[in-house]
Amino acid sequence: MNAVSANLIGKKYGKLQALSGISLEVGEGDIFGLIGPDGAGKTTLFRILATLILPDEGTASVCGFDVIKDYAKIRKVVGYMPGRFSLYQDLTVLENLTFFASVFHTTVEENYDSVKDIYQQIEPFKNRRAGALSGGMKQKLALCCALIHEPSVLFLDEPTTGVDPVSRKEFWTMLQRLKQRGISILVSTPYMDEASLCDRIALIQNGKFLKTDTPQNIIKGFDSELWSVRSDHMSKLLSDLRLNEGVSSSFAFGDAHHVTLKNGKCNSHDLSVYLDGLKHTNVCIQKIEPNVEDCFMQLSGKNIL
Amino acid sequence: MISKTQIPEDKVIVARDLTKKFGNFTAVDHLSFEVGKGEIFGFLGANGAGKTTAMRMLCGLSKQTSGEAWVAGYDIARETEKIKRCIGYMSQKFALYEDLKVWENIRLYAGIYGVPEKDIAGRTDDLLKRLGFEAEKQALVKSLPLGWKQKLAFSVAIFHEPKIVFLDEPTGGVDPAVRRQFWELIYQAADRGITVFVTTHYMDEAEYCNRVSIMVDGHIEALDTPNNLKQQLEAKNMDDVFHQLARKAKRTEQ
């Protein structure tokens, strides 16, 4: 049985089509990533699956329970960490955890093992009010509160937004450990580099899935050769690349520009000659593997000119 | 103590041993650095490293415990009002008023920053044209997609042509294509001589900065061009640089 399955979900807010034609399946014990920018519809999908709002179209189930008919059962087996900080700021760390345990008719002692790994990191501060915690610790406490009733499915809505790269890595290590315990995880993120840490991902934009697959297959689906291009003047290089008619797309990517060429119209040698002609120095053109962000931009088909 | 005449004219920020303590806790510990005119300066660090505290002092919003700093030639301890006039500020969390129209937001900020009355209308039209937002002039800001809001917010933050603009995680959660358009606006501003002081958690964006500083436990652990940092640490990219340096943090999260 899939942990989550959704079939052609649609949702409107007034005239705004927040989601349309969303289908997905999260296998048991999988980490499934929803990858896309703010406003793409990620939170709406979480709210439907967590039985907080109703879909206008389509059906969905979590652990085999229907999101409409069996909503009460779903709430018992799901742990939900909403995007905005969801804890009680005026309660202490321990009070928050105790509260969430009592809502699910359990106690911290009874289920201590299920949160132990993560809770131990914040336990020295258990008497501090949640409002006075740093960002990284709030995130750990929120995760503990979502885990205290031993859910079989976790919904994590942008748990790493605004979190620095080191803490983000730590957080993903915690998720891998939860996966090993058999917990299925649906997690959303605007950071494309986190996609490779998921078993399967859906790229989402404007309420629609652009593609759903394993990160490896999404990268294989990039349908042109990708070149990394550098020179001593990166800003001029970008505008010169865009002026070349043989260039199909050109985006800044950290220390290099990622470029695709129009088939038959231009090859890497032509490009090198063109850039030398424009007096670029230390030109370096290399064929590279695309990453998920390249794929996202190709699929979203946005031209940046 | 340094006097005003010792501040080189091409340095828009000069900080000397800038320190801020909260009780026993030293949030910012003897920060010394300089930022040149028109430079894009990346101000990186882990959560809790002291970036926000340092930025608030430089904007004249919080007073240092010791040390000194000059922003646009003004002393951050004594000339805060003059500083506020010649800086722009934008963050991911707060930038524009959602319930005001696009032109009303521009009008409001232009007024606050003292743009001459007679210039506002013309410059508003120029700006909207440059951004391709002419059709949205009368739209409420809350109806715009996030990426548009961020581009508009940045343009509003530099509408009064400040000497320096502070950007606090300006691209968090923004669409990858729009994130790149945003950086092109940053480049254009820097080309016009506006100094850009920016924080980000996207390490690819660190590569777009002329120089980058990385704060660890309240002090600057490294400051150089992205290329030099990568060479010094034998790192393949800025993400690797960041991980190597931030791992040195000893201060437990408080």
Side-chain angles (χ1 to χ4, degrees):
Chain A
M1 185 183 57
N2 282 321
V4 179
S5 103
N7 188 24
L8 298 171
I9 293 285
K11 178 74 187 176
K12 267 186 175 179
Y13 297 120
K15 278 183 197 158
L16 178 79
Q17 187 77 47
L19 289 177
S20 59
I22 296 291
S23 300
L24 87 157
E25 284 178 356
V26 181
E28 230 174 66
D30 273 0
I31 299 184
F32 189 104
L34 289 172
I35 317 281
D38 286 6
K42 302 190 297 289
T43 299
T44 299
L45 182 57
F46 275 116
R47 294 176 63 84
I48 290 171
L49 295 174
T51 76
L52 298 173
I53 54 173
L54 298 174
D56 297 333
E57 294 164 51
T59 54
S61 65
V62 178
C63 297
F65 302 122
D66 183 85
V67 289
I68 299 172
K69 286 202 308 272
D70 305 318
Y71 73 93
K73 287 178 186 150
I74 289 180
R75 290 179 186 184
K76 286 189 186 127
V77 295
V78 155
Y80 177 39
M81 183 172 154
R84 288 212 187 133
F85 184 51
S86 56
L87 304 169
Y88 292 92
Q89 310 274 342
D90 291 332
L91 296 185
T92 64
V93 168
L94 183 59
E95 284 166 348
N96 265 289
L97 193 59
T98 306
F99 172 77
F100 280 95
S102 69
V103 167
F104 290 100
H105 307 292
T106 181
T107 60
V108 175
E109 293 72 32
E110 199 173 330
N111 285 343
Y112 187 75
D113 275 349
S114 51
V115 296
K116 195 173 122 195
D117 279 355
I118 304 161
Y119 186 62
Q120 276 176 343
Q121 302 173 42
I122 51 174
E123 209 164 11
F125 312 100
K126 66 182 180 187
N127 294 320
R128 184 175 293 184
R129 282 188 300 109
L133 294 176
S134 74
M137 291 210 293
K138 280 179 182 169
Q139 188 199 37
K140 284 171 190 161
L141 176 58
L143 188 57
C144 288
C145 291
L147 282 169
I148 193 64
H149 60 295
E150 300 199 304
S152 42
V153 179
L154 262 186
F155 292 151
L156 309 173
D157 193 1
E158 297 209 15
T160 56
T161 291
V163 174
D164 70 72
V166 173
S167 314
R168 287 206 279 136
K169 207 172 228 176
E170 266 179 28
F171 191 80
W172 277 91
T173 312
M174 289 191 268
L175 295 191
Q176 299 295 346
R177 268 190 234 126
L178 294 173
K179 172 191 158 75
Q180 280 160 19
R181 274 165 43 192
I183 298 176
S184 315
I185 301 172
L186 181 64
V187 55
S188 68
T189 177
Y191 296 103
M192 307 269 159
D193 58 343
E194 293 178 353
S196 60
L197 303 167
C198 303
D199 297 306
R200 284 163 56 80
I201 55 173
L203 303 180
I204 179 170
Q205 192 183 42
N206 299 327
K208 291 191 184 107
F209 281 172
L210 299 168
K211 206 167 193 178
T212 309
D213 212 326
T214 61
Q216 298 77 9
N217 282 342
I218 287 198
I219 286 167
K220 272 188 208 147
F222 192 83
D223 63 5
S224 31
E225 289 188 325
L226 188 66
W227 302 90
S228 140
V229 184
R230 289 175 228 217
S231 83
D232 286 333
H233 290 99
M234 295 300 285
S235 148
K236 181 174 182 292
L237 180 64
L238 191 62
S239 39
D240 287 342
L241 284 168
R242 290 194 184 147
L243 288 172
N244 186 318
E245 285 187 359
V247 169
S248 167
S249 73
S250 172
F251 297 103
F253 257 87
D255 65 344
H257 299 321
H258 287 192
V259 174
T260 59
L261 302 173
K262 286 180 189 155
N263 262 342
K265 267 203 162 178
C266 183
N267 59 36
S268 61
H269 177 72
D270 299 339
L271 193 62
S272 164
V273 171
Y274 166 77
L275 292 173
D276 286 344
L278 291 167
K279 309 254 182 298
H280 277 283
T281 45
N282 287 320
V283 174
C284 172
I285 304 177
Q286 281 172 305
K287 196 174 159 192
I288 50 162
E289 274 272 293
N291 59 34
V292 170
E293 193 157 3
D294 289 304
C295 298
F296 188 95
M297 289 201 287
Q298 185 176 67
L299 291 164
S300 69
K302 256 190 194 164
N303 289 315
I304 174 174
L305 286 170
Chain B
M1 200 161 108
I2 41 176
S3 77
K4 199 162 186 165
T5 50
Q6 287 170 277
I7 307 290
E9 229 174 70
D10 58 341
K11 297 295 176 203
V12 178
I13 299 178
V14 176
R16 292 273 180 268
D17 293 322
L18 194 61
T19 299
K20 176 81 183 186
K21 291 186 180 178
F22 296 107
N24 292 330
F25 179 67
T26 308
V28 172
D29 193 1
H30 293 86
L31 218 56
S32 297
F33 66 98
E34 294 177 353
V35 182
K37 183 172 159 40
E39 191 173 12
I40 302 175
F41 188 84
F43 197 58
L44 311 183
N47 299 104
K51 298 189 303 286
T52 304
T53 307
M55 206 142 134
R56 285 177 56 81
M57 285 191 281
L58 295 174
C59 292
L61 298 172
S62 162
K63 204 166 175 181
Q64 73 266 40
T65 311
S66 64
E68 51 196 347
W70 305 76
V71 171
Y74 298 116
D75 184 335
I76 62 161
R78 283 183 293 274
E79 298 172 297
T80 52
E81 291 315 307
K82 284 180 184 155
I83 288 175
K84 285 175 194 165
R85 243 177 259 269
C86 53
I87 63 173
Y89 175 83
M90 171 203 165
S91 82
Q92 187 203 352
K93 288 177 197 104
F94 175 77
L96 298 169
Y97 288 94
E98 298 264 302
D99 290 325
L100 292 182
K101 291 173 181 165
V102 167
W103 76 268
E104 289 171 332
N105 265 288
I106 300 174
R107 176 72 190 78
L108 175 68
Y109 282 100
I112 289 172
Y113 282 111
V115 176
E117 196 71 37
K118 60 176 176 28
D119 296 346
I120 295 177
R123 277 168 64 179
T124 299
D125 290 340
D126 287 348
L127 169 64
L128 294 176
K129 200 170 160 192
R130 247 193 347 263
L131 291 173
F133 285 1
E134 291 119 307
E136 278 72 30
K137 186 175 178 178
Q138 300 291 343
L140 287 178
V141 162
K142 68 177 165 199
S143 72
L144 300 179
L146 176 78
W148 292 38
K149 276 185 210 169
Q150 296 306 85
K151 285 199 278 181
L152 181 63
F154 176 70
S155 306
V156 167
I158 58 167
F159 194 75
H160 58 296
E161 292 287 319
K163 293 209 169 73
I164 175 165
V165 61
F166 291 91
L167 306 173
D168 195 0
E169 287 182 45
T171 55
V174 173
D175 180 288
V178 179
R179 203 152 69 77
R180 288 171 171 80
Q181 292 169 355
F182 191 91
W183 271 89
E184 288 178 28
L185 292 179
I186 291 182
Y187 274 127
Q188 288 165 17
D191 286 345
R192 290 209 304 275
I194 298 176
T195 302
V196 179
F197 190 94
V198 58
T199 73
T200 179
H201 287 317
Y202 289 99
M203 288 304 117
D204 59 333
E205 295 185 347
E207 307 267 7
Y208 307 151
C209 300
N210 299 120
R211 286 189 307 150
V212 164
S213 73
I214 297 179
M215 268 186 93
V216 177
D217 290 350
H219 66 270
I220 290 182
E221 184 69 32
L223 195 172
D224 214 324
T225 63
N227 272 336
N228 288 347
L229 288 175
K230 281 183 282 184
Q231 274 175 18
Q232 283 157 24
L233 294 165
E234 295 176 6
K236 59 180 190 302
N237 53 34
M238 283 305 290
D239 195 48
D240 198 8
V241 168
F242 189 89
H243 278 92
Q244 285 192 38
L245 294 173
R247 220 183 288 135
K248 293 185 186 167
K250 296 212 172 57
R251 172 152 118 183
T252 50
E253 282 190 278
Q254 295 288 319

